Amino acid sequence: MSPYPHKNYHEENPSTKLNSRPVFLVDTPTCKIPLFSPFDISIVQFLKPGKKISCNKFLPYTYEDGTILRVNWTAIHQSRHKDTFKHCRYQPIIRPYEAEHHNYFDYGDYSEKFYSYIEVPYEFVRVRCYNRANGKMYTNYHQFIYRKNDIEKVKSTAFEKHRAKVSETLNVLMVGVDSISRLNFQRYMRKTNAFLTNRLNAFDMMGYNKVADNTFVNIVPMTLGKFLEDVPWNESLSDIPFDNYNFIWKMFSDSGYRTLYAEDAPKIAIFDYLKAGFHKAPADYFNRHFSIAMTKDKQLWYNEHNCLVNRLETDVILNYTFQFASIMQKNPYFAFAFITGLTHDSTESAAMADESYFNYLKSLYEQHMLNNTLLIFYSDHGMRFGKLRETYIGKLEERLPFLFIVLPEWFRKKYPVISQSLQINERRLITPFDIYETLQNVLFFGTDQREQSSSRGISLFQEVSDERTCTEIGILPHWCTCAKNVPLPPEDIKNRDFGERIVTSINQILSTYVDCARLTLENVLSASKILPYDEILRFRKSKNDVINRKVTFGDKVNSFVHYQLIVQTSPGNGRFEATIKYDELHDSSKIASDISRINLYGNQSNCVNDHSIKKYCFCNM
């Protein structure tokens, strides 16, 4: 059951915003990123059915209600303990602002006994319930969001000063999901995809390209605006906490925004896996000690460590951010959440996450919690291992995670140039550096006050240049999904074959129009092939983030090659442009785009009234 209240209504399928049939996600003079179906015939053998997940092994004897912890008598009456239940007590889960180490947590004293409900003045608690023989019969973990008086006073003063300097303010809600490519999001998270597209009018950044290998090295550019080596950081600093780096949430905090930082899977968390994490809490609301405490209570977990008592670990984090956004709705806030466990290990596991994220986003929308909030919903990279990953499409997927940006409707109307830029940028080469610059743009809106960062990024509120290349923004060739455009010599044998295929397709379109002449190929005026970087086709793995960083290459995998041709036909000297998709493995090809007429046809097609046919038809005399 969803932890968020919402209405029930039917979701439409995502609708395309384009009338024509695109061949590329990004199609600029310097970058062409191929577009593939999520169910392309070359990879369907590696796709497994998505499954749902149910967390119903244990009944929840307790639940949160604001800052009150209640006994769930309905569940108890349905359980084997209905005649033996006695009372419950909770213990706060404690971590000081500055802890001894990043895994520190402790339990405080037990509360008084309660039989019905109790007010909880702590953020995180472990609750235990007992039977009449004083034996422990139930354990669970609960989280609460409440305003912290010491923080509120400081933040209110800081925000007053900040508000006087800027022309607009927005809350920021960043929700990251581990290891989901844009294609895999379309495959397995269809309800969430539909809701983002149809209800939230999200901007879908189709050319979002990761800049390095794993989560850590892609989140750092997003939150610090620099590559690791430019921070500077390397593996020799692994024992030093990240407390003193000026992350983007610190900048928002200094300007009076209430801040939240939340992750699941504490063992492999972004700044903690083989690293020292944070000794000082990075945000006003921070859940790591709670997450560690839950993880250590192994008997409460099941379904491959995805379910805790009666709920998904994913839902625990989403509910935490939801309650934070709800409480802080009328105050400026910055929330950063990253959720790993459920989707990290297989492509099809994304299906188990669909319902949770759909319910979460729908509740934010229906309770008007996005009315003054920038939502950035994203992944760090696609799946980095497995059979699918060994294919050409799988290699592209790993490098092309999903990224959606949602803005309030009033903001889009008030700043139409920003909306227009975002729409253009949906089909431009985009990186985590651009997210960092966008966040700075939001923080210092209408001012020139910006943190000095590299020139690798640009705010997505501005139009990204169609001349942008991977090289200029520091993406190494084996991460770059932009294909190379290679002109073909006129004598290339494929030119004539593909030219004939284009003309045959035009004649098939005209086959029912008896007044239109049958066309023949007169000449191939130009041809080029669009090739992926050889480093992508041969890439196997990357080891180490900075020191002794090593990239291993292997045999080249078969790929798809796109050929772009301009042909001239007879009679009428019509000139047409089309793209052919060639499958190297099966030596097969097909037209992958609409066929465009690129010269005027004047009165040549007066014998037909169908506008879509006029560009092809040369009327018989």
Side-chain angles (χ1 to χ4, degrees):
M1 186 174 68
S2 166
Y4 321 106
H6 59 75
K7 307 168 190 172
N8 291 314
Y9 51 80
H10 176 69
E11 284 302 320
E12 306 163 22
N13 290 324
S15 59
T16 177
K17 298 178 182 177
L18 300 170
N19 295 321
S20 60
R21 184 161 49 121
V23 181
F24 300 101
L25 293 169
V26 173
D27 188 1
T28 64
T30 55
C31 179
K32 297 184 186 298
I33 301 177
L35 181 153
F36 291 102
S37 163
F39 302 98
D40 191 275
I41 192 171
S42 67
I43 58 171
V44 288
Q45 61 182 309
F46 304 117
L47 302 178
K48 297 179 181 179
K51 297 179 180 178
K52 302 296 182 183
I53 187 169
S54 180
C55 298
N56 56 8
K57 183 177 179 179
F58 301 109
L59 288 170
Y61 291 0
T62 54
Y63 65 95
E64 304 138 22
D65 179 12
T67 56
I68 293 174
L69 181 59
R70 295 189 183 276
V71 173
N72 185 355
W73 276 103
T74 301
I76 292 172
H77 284 312
Q78 295 172 355
S79 76
R80 59 190 175 90
H81 297 121
K82 62 181 179 180
D83 296 322
T84 59
F85 177 86
K86 186 178 182 183
H87 63 256
C88 301
R89 303 173 77 184
Y90 73 77
Q91 286 178 283
I93 302 170
I94 298 168
R95 170 189 161 127
Y97 166 71
E98 185 167 0
E100 299 171 16
H101 54 80
H102 64 132
N103 291 326
Y104 179 90
F105 77 95
D106 198 3
Y107 289 105
D109 295 335
Y110 275 102
S111 71
E112 62 185 68
K113 300 171 185 177
F114 65 99
Y115 185 79
S116 178
Y117 68 89
I118 191 169
E119 183 79 29
V120 179
Y122 300 98
E123 290 183 82
F124 307 109
V125 301
R126 175 178 67 183
V127 63
R128 286 176 168 170
C129 298
Y130 302 86
N131 58 28
R132 291 177 181 174
N134 290 322
K136 185 178 68 176
M137 53 182 272
Y138 171 82
T139 302
N140 206 343
Y141 291 79
H142 295 283
Q143 56 196 1
F144 303 88
I145 296 285
Y146 62 91
R147 292 187 179 276
K148 302 177 181 181
N149 293 333
D150 54 336
I151 289 174
E152 285 298 309
K153 186 175 181 180
V154 172
K155 293 300 173 83
S156 295
T157 302
F159 186 71
E160 281 183 25
K161 294 178 181 178
H162 174 73
R163 187 69 184 88
K165 300 175 185 176
V166 298
S167 58
E168 204 74 78
T169 61
L170 288 173
N171 302 324
V172 176
L173 177 56
M174 299 182 69
V175 179
V177 191
D178 202 329
S179 301
I180 300 185
S181 69
R182 183 175 177 274
L183 277 183
N184 209 45
F185 188 79
Q186 293 175 336
R187 273 185 211 113
Y188 292 113
M189 297 185 70
R190 299 180 194 178
K191 288 181 71 173
T192 309
N193 190 31
F195 192 80
L196 282 158
T197 304
N198 298 326
R199 289 292 185 271
L200 298 184
N201 296 316
F203 294 99
D204 177 4
M205 298 296 152
M206 305 176 207
Y208 184 53
N209 199 126
K210 75 174 191 175
V211 295
D213 187 28
N214 55 47
T215 305
F216 175 53
V217 290
N218 284 289
I219 296 299
V220 166
M222 180 187 293
T223 56
L224 278 172
K226 299 174 182 178
F227 277 120
L228 269 183
E229 50 266 44
D230 299 327
V231 169
W233 187 94
N234 60 51
E235 288 82 355
S236 70
L237 304 174
S238 294
D239 293 334
I240 300 174
F242 290 89
D243 299 334
N244 296 324
Y245 294 101
N246 195 28
F247 289 99
I248 191 69
W249 50 78
K250 274 192 175 182
M251 296 166 63
F252 275 84
S253 180
D254 291 344
S255 297
Y257 287 70
R258 287 79 174 161
T259 55
L260 173 143
Y261 185 106
E263 286 190 81
D264 67 339
K267 190 174 181 179
I268 56 173
I270 300 170
F271 298 97
D272 299 272
Y273 178 62
L274 302 179
K275 296 177 284 291
F278 298 99
H279 290 195
K280 297 177 182 177
D284 304 320
Y285 295 81
F286 181 48
N287 77 325
R288 179 169 176 79
H289 54 302
F290 178 63
S291 195
I292 294 171
M294 288 192 299
T295 300
K296 287 183 177 292
D297 216 336
K298 299 186 185 302
Q299 74 272 16
L300 302 182
W301 294 85
Y302 54 102
N303 279 348
E304 298 181 339
H305 204 277
N306 289 314
C307 291
L308 174 77
V309 186
N310 67 312
R311 59 206 189 277
L312 271 174
E313 184 182 23
T314 292
D315 284 331
V316 173
I317 305 301
L318 290 177
N319 192 42
Y320 184 53
T321 67
F322 183 87
Q323 295 303 328
F324 173 79
S326 179
I327 294 293
M328 303 300 171
Q329 200 168 168
K330 294 183 179 179
N331 299 104
Y333 71 80
F334 180 101
F336 178 92
F338 194 81
I339 304 175
T340 297
L342 188 59
T343 59
H344 184 266
D345 292 339
S346 69
T347 53
E348 66 272 13
S349 63
M352 296 189 292
D354 191 21
E355 197 70 27
S356 290
Y357 288 100
F358 168 68
N359 287 330
Y360 173 71
L361 294 175
K362 189 161 71 159
S363 295
L364 288 172
Y365 169 75
E366 290 178 346
Q367 296 194 36
H368 310 291
M369 290 166 61
L370 297 175
N371 286 1
N372 197 46
T373 299
L374 165 67
L375 170 65
I376 299 177
F377 186 50
Y378 69 99
S379 187
D380 49 350
H381 51 72
M383 190 56 59
R384 296 169 55 230
F385 45 82
K387 288 292 184 182
L388 174 61
R389 168 61 183 71
E390 295 173 8
T391 68
Y392 171 53
I393 292 178
K395 287 174 180 285
L396 288 180
E397 283 198 45
E398 182 201 352
R399 292 153 174 79
L400 294 170
F402 75 83
L403 168 62
F404 292 94
I405 292 177
V406 178
L407 282 167
E409 192 61 31
W410 66 264
F411 187 91
R412 293 169 64 136
K413 291 178 179 177
K414 186 174 180 179
Y415 301 101
V417 174
I418 290 177
S419 295
Q420 183 180 12
S421 295
L422 283 163
Q423 191 168 8
I424 291 169
N425 292 340
E426 286 185 309
R427 289 185 174 272
R428 294 284 161 87
L429 175 62
I430 302 299
T431 76
F433 290 107
D434 302 323
I435 296 179
Y436 177 80
E437 295 298 333
T438 305
L439 292 170
Q440 283 217 74
N441 198 163
V442 170
L443 180 59
F444 300 116
F445 197 89
T447 76
D448 295 328
Q449 182 184 350
R450 300 279 283 275
E451 180 77 8
Q452 188 65 36
S453 62
S454 71
S455 59
R456 301 187 194 279
I458 181 175
S459 169
L460 295 175
F461 288 0
Q462 305 168 44
E463 182 179 337
V464 173
S465 170
D466 64 356
E467 299 290 331
R468 182 182 241 191
T469 66
C470 287
T471 302
E472 74 180 65
I473 52 180
I475 303 177
L476 296 174
H478 55 275
W479 301 130
C480 179
T481 57
C482 296
K484 298 176 290 186
N485 198 325
V486 181
L488 293 175
E491 63 272 14
D492 192 301
I493 191 169
K494 282 190 170 62
N495 289 1
R496 193 78 192 177
D497 291 344
F498 290 158
E500 293 285 4
R501 178 178 284 272
I502 292 169
V503 176
T504 298
S505 293
I506 295 174
N507 285 327
Q508 288 173 345
I509 294 170
L510 296 173
S511 61
T512 59
Y513 294 85
V514 295
D515 292 329
C516 298
R518 181 176 178 82
L519 304 181
T520 59
L521 177 65
E522 186 173 291
N523 196 13
V524 177
L525 300 177
S526 72
S528 62
K529 60 180 177 180
I530 299 163
L531 296 170
Y533 279 97
D534 190 63
E535 289 88 343
I536 281 188
L537 300 180
R538 295 192 300 109
F539 177 84
R540 288 183 61 190
K541 63 181 179 180
S542 175
K543 184 178 181 181
N544 298 329
D545 295 328
V546 182
I547 296 177
N548 297 323
R549 181 166 53 204
K550 181 180 180 182
V551 177
T552 303
F553 295 98
D555 295 334
K556 180 179 175 181
V557 300
N558 289 303
S559 66
F560 294 92
V561 180
H562 289 87
Y563 288 78
Q564 288 188 327
L565 288 85
I566 297 176
V567 300
Q568 184 166 302
T569 59
S570 179
N573 295 323
R575 293 187 175 188
F576 300 94
E577 183 178 58
T579 300
I580 303 286
K581 178 181 173 183
Y582 176 64
D583 183 346
E584 291 182 328
L585 180 62
H586 300 100
D587 190 26
S588 62
S589 62
K590 66 177 182 179
I591 293 181
S593 69
D594 289 340
I595 301 172
S596 303
R597 176 76 178 247
I598 62 171
N599 66 337
L600 297 174
Y601 49 82
N603 297 323
Q604 292 180 350
S605 56
N606 283 350
C607 59
V608 293
N609 294 320
D610 189 332
H611 181 72
S612 64
I613 298 300
K614 279 183 173 290
K615 63 181 179 180
Y616 302 124
C617 180
F618 182 86
C619 294
N620 290 310
M621 298 301 180

